[in-house]
Amino acid sequence: MIPFLLIANLITFGVFGFDKLQAKRHQWRISENVLLALSLIGIVGAACGMVIFNHKVSKKSFLVKFFIVVLIDLVLLYRLIRH
């Protein structure tokens, strides 16, 4: 499980970085829904990507959705630990 989560977080981090690069170049972007879906699995990578690349941190609507994803992750983690 740990190797899967590590790889998922690295991929999510990379996707956030790639999307920021595409934004700077004014080129094709990755949809917010894809970024949020990846965040479900790689929440640490997503959070690091947001902070390090300064990506989506000023967009309030995305931050609200991201916070909901964090809450979902916490609930799933709690349920996993309890079983």
Side-chain angles (χ1 to χ4, degrees):
M1 184 75 149
I2 300 280
F4 169 76
L5 290 175
L6 179 63
I7 292 168
N9 279 286
L10 288 172
I11 289 171
T12 303
F13 177 78
V15 170
F16 270 79
F18 176 74
D19 190 51
K20 178 65 175 192
L21 179 65
Q22 292 292 87
K24 286 182 179 181
R25 293 178 177 172
H26 301 288
Q27 293 182 349
W28 173 84
R29 303 280 306 279
I30 297 168
S31 76
E32 285 187 1
N33 290 335
V34 170
L35 293 175
L36 290 168
L38 286 171
S39 298
L40 268 173
I41 300 171
I43 194 74
V44 174
C48 289
M50 288 172 66
V51 171
I52 290 172
F53 301 120
N54 195 31
H55 190 47
K56 300 282 188 190
V57 292
S58 62
K59 190 167 183 184
K60 301 289 185 224
S61 64
F62 184 83
L63 290 176
V64 168
K65 294 173 192 173
F66 185 75
F67 181 70
I68 292 169
V69 167
V70 169
L71 290 176
I72 291 169
D73 268 357
L74 289 174
V75 168
L76 292 174
L77 178 63
Y78 175 76
R79 290 183 56 96
L80 182 67
I81 290 171
R82 295 286 282 165
H83 287 279

